[in-house]
Amino acid sequence: MTALADSFRRLIEATGPMPVLRYMGESNARYYASRDPLGSAGDFTTAPEISQMFGEMAGLWLADIWVRAGRPANAIYVELGPGRGTLAQDALRAMASQGLRPQVHLVEGSDALRKVQGGALSDAIFHDSFETVPGDRPLLLLANEFLDALPIRQLVMTTTGWRERMVGLEQDRFAFVSGPNPMEEAVHEKQRAADVDTVIEACPAAAALVEDLAQRLEVQGGAALLVDYGHTAPRIGSTLQAVKKHQKVDVFSSPGDMDLTAHVDFGTLNAIARREGVASSLTTQGAWLTAMGIGLRAQGLSTASPEHAGEIKAALDRLVGQDEMGELFKCMAMSARDWPRGAGFPEV
């Protein structure tokens, strides 16, 4: 049993079940604060770690918008959850090839990851949250696999109506239970009539972040690219999952010592962004990378290093393949109304 599991157990015994939102939030806060979770020695691998091509495409995407916006000299690069700094390194290198060398701002709450990022990006300015990122300069923002780790709220249909889904104890083991209070008002009218045990999810933190980002883009100018696994149409069912050592594990197996994630509801986030007035559009990772010319970049890298051609092809297939990351992962582009639209996305 992890130390956090023991703490949760005592808390539940003393005060009753806790919301899934709290269980996931506190678990991930402990998890990310204590380690570098990336790579073969960690728990999972993200697109920037698979190939430099991903970060290069992201950097070129931002640079293209910046050029068409008139090359504002005071634009800043912002990354949410920058991992090891790999995405930033590759993106900034690609930006520099187009004459863009922005000041770097990294939003990272983990001291362990900040040490790694600081070694890769010595001039970076760190922030605990997006709130302290400068509010008077255009934003060129990336967030890759950031939203999926934000805590979700789950509601479950019971024989007595909708209730919040909680984490409690059954036979001394963690288990999902339903809360005591009616939650019909938190459920959209179209979803209220549902079968017993139906689960629906929401991510208040992601919604608040996109709302804030949209408002700031309108005031400051700029563009943002959010990439994660998720869905673009409404869906039901729990997507909460846990990963440890590159394997899916039970979500109750070791809180604080495993990565808890959930699929991102991009359809809702896209609607929030548009409601705030910014241009916002969705596509899949495979479609976006292909439109950005990743295939040509892969050919160029293979020509320059023929001994690595097989590895480059494997990385390309993993990033864009429909049965790999290409279809499951979605991309969301946001830009201020008076800024250019990002390449590779449908017109809005």
Side-chain angles (χ1 to χ4, degrees):
M1 180 186 297
T2 64
L4 187 59
D6 188 51
S7 175
F8 281 163
R9 183 180 300 276
R10 293 196 305 270
L11 179 64
I12 292 170
E13 289 173 342
T15 64
M18 68 174 66
V20 168
L21 183 80
R22 180 174 181 180
Y23 175 80
M24 183 178 178
E26 293 191 16
S27 296
N28 276 354
R30 179 75 62 92
Y31 172 78
Y32 281 100
S34 61
R35 75 202 67 212
D36 172 3
L38 292 158
S40 58
D43 294 318
F44 56 88
T45 301
T46 60
E49 304 293 332
I50 293 170
S51 171
Q52 68 186 71
M53 296 184 290
F54 181 86
E56 290 170 348
M57 296 301 106
L60 291 174
W61 187 84
L62 289 174
D64 171 66
I65 295 174
W66 173 76
V67 168
R68 290 186 284 125
R71 300 174 180 265
N74 62 339
I76 58 175
Y77 173 82
V78 180
E79 189 173 340
L80 309 180
R84 289 177 168 172
T86 306
L87 173 57
Q89 284 183 304
D90 293 336
L92 290 166
R93 185 177 63 253
M95 290 181 205
S97 73
Q98 306 302 308
L100 172 58
R101 295 176 175 81
Q103 189 179 66
V104 177
H105 293 259
L106 303 179
V107 178
E108 178 59 71
S110 165
D111 288 337
L113 285 172
R114 279 192 183 193
K115 291 178 181 178
V116 180
Q117 296 155 8
L121 303 157
S122 58
D123 295 331
I125 299 169
F126 287 99
H127 303 267
D128 290 326
S129 73
F130 182 53
E131 295 176 359
T132 60
V133 170
D136 58 351
R137 303 170 66 180
L139 304 171
L140 300 172
L141 183 143
L142 296 180
N144 180 65
E145 293 201 45
F146 175 78
L147 299 173
D148 65 85
L150 298 178
I152 59 166
R153 183 186 196 188
Q154 290 188 331
L155 301 180
V156 59
M157 183 63 168
T158 72
T159 55
T160 55
W162 286 99
R163 300 289 187 269
E164 182 148 19
R165 204 177 192 209
M166 317 278 278
V167 176
L169 293 172
E170 290 185 353
Q171 297 180 347
D172 204 38
R173 298 172 64 89
F174 292 123
F176 290 116
V177 299
S178 55
N181 300 320
M183 299 296 294
E184 269 69 20
E185 293 303 315
V187 179
H188 193 282
E189 289 183 7
K190 294 181 180 179
Q191 294 179 301
R192 287 181 185 172
D195 295 335
V196 172
D197 294 331
T198 297
V199 174
I200 58 175
E201 297 177 336
C203 186
L209 173 66
V210 168
E211 182 178 59
D212 185 27
L213 174 56
Q215 292 171 355
R216 290 185 60 167
L217 286 173
E218 279 297 272
V219 173
Q220 298 173 231
L225 178 66
L226 314 178
V227 184
D228 224 310
Y229 53 87
H231 48 275
T232 59
R235 60 176 294 173
I236 60 173
S238 174
T239 68
L240 183 65
Q241 60 185 3
V243 173
K244 186 174 182 179
K245 300 299 181 185
H246 301 270
Q247 300 291 327
K248 286 188 177 181
V249 297
D250 186 273
V251 296
F252 297 134
S253 62
S254 50
D257 197 33
M258 60 185 178
D259 181 37
L260 283 171
T261 67
H263 285 215
V264 177
D265 182 359
F266 278 106
T268 294
L269 299 183
N270 191 45
I272 291 171
R274 291 184 177 185
R275 184 190 68 204
E276 294 300 323
V278 299
S280 182
S281 186
L282 301 174
T283 190
T284 63
Q285 177 175 296
W288 172 69
L289 287 173
T290 299
M292 287 297 298
I294 194 172
L296 291 174
R297 178 56 174 156
Q299 290 179 16
L301 289 173
S302 296
T303 299
S305 302
E307 68 277 14
H308 297 300
E311 298 170 26
I312 295 167
K313 175 64 163 57
L316 175 65
D317 291 343
R318 188 171 175 187
L319 291 172
V320 306
Q322 287 194 354
D323 296 330
E324 297 283 346
M325 301 174 72
E327 194 69 24
L328 174 62
F329 279 69
K330 309 301 189 296
C331 301
M332 178 173 168
M334 300 169 61
S335 57
R337 270 178 287 194
D338 57 351
W339 270 60
R341 308 296 176 253
F345 283 84
E347 291 293 328
V348 295

